Amino acid sequence: MAGKIEARLQELGITLPKANKAVANYVPYVITGNLIFVSGQITMLDGELKYIGRYGENLSVEDGMAASRLCGLHLISQVKEAVGGDLDRITRVVKLGGFVASMPEFTDQPKIVNGASDLMVEVFGEPVGQHARAAVGVAALPLGVSVEIDGVFEFA
């Protein structure tokens, strides 16, 4: 029987992407105590990089929100794998760290990271999906992607 969060994903019309494997000397997530630390997730879909570039140069805030949401979907996929497939075990989205490739004059990084933040609240509800957060502008990200997000999740 599908759990509450799986039913919520279905209700929202969300299909989670396959959890990405690590591509360098790190692991996709680490569990310590009752916390899951998920490595940075990028804008890859079906093996193809999406949302390449920088905000304030060739991408819009709307693109950024979609890119951030995609990273959030990957975070949830990693967490699902970490808890053996049972997303109902997630008791709190603790923190998201958002990195946004942007021009120096671009200052809407928080709006972009809202794509992932909003997703967490949509999927896990309040207060579980509400979290602390950082939204930081950077000059460049791996493989030219425009957004990378990592996260910390609590589970039972």
Side-chain angles (χ1 to χ4, degrees), residues 6 10 22 24 53 59 61-62 70 80 90 95 97 115 141 143 146:
E6 288 293 336
Q10 189 172 24
L59 295 168
V61 170
E62 292 76 20
L70 179 55
K80 182 176 179 177
I90 300 302
K95 184 172 193 253
L141 287 168
L143 305 173
S146 61

Side-chain angles (χ1 to χ4, degrees), residues 55-134:
Y55 299 94
E57 183 176 57
N58 67 319
L59 295 168
S60 69
V61 170
E62 292 76 20
D63 291 332
M65 292 179 74
S68 175
R69 184 178 177 90
L70 179 55
C71 292
L73 291 171
H74 283 291
L75 286 168
I76 295 170
S77 291
Q78 294 292 355
V79 167
K80 182 176 179 177
E81 189 168 296
V83 295
D86 185 3
L87 286 169
D88 288 350
R89 292 180 63 195
I90 300 302
T91 57
R92 188 71 189 230
V93 179
V94 178
K95 184 172 193 253
L96 298 182
F99 303 91
V100 179
S102 49
M103 300 297 290
E105 63 277 359
F106 184 84
T107 59
D108 282 336
Q109 290 86 357
K111 288 181 183 175
I112 288 173
V113 180
N114 278 345
S117 291
D118 293 348
L119 175 69
M120 296 302 153
V121 175
E122 281 179 56
V123 171
F124 295 104
E126 294 181 11
V128 174
Q130 295 173 311
H131 52 273
R133 185 181 92 174

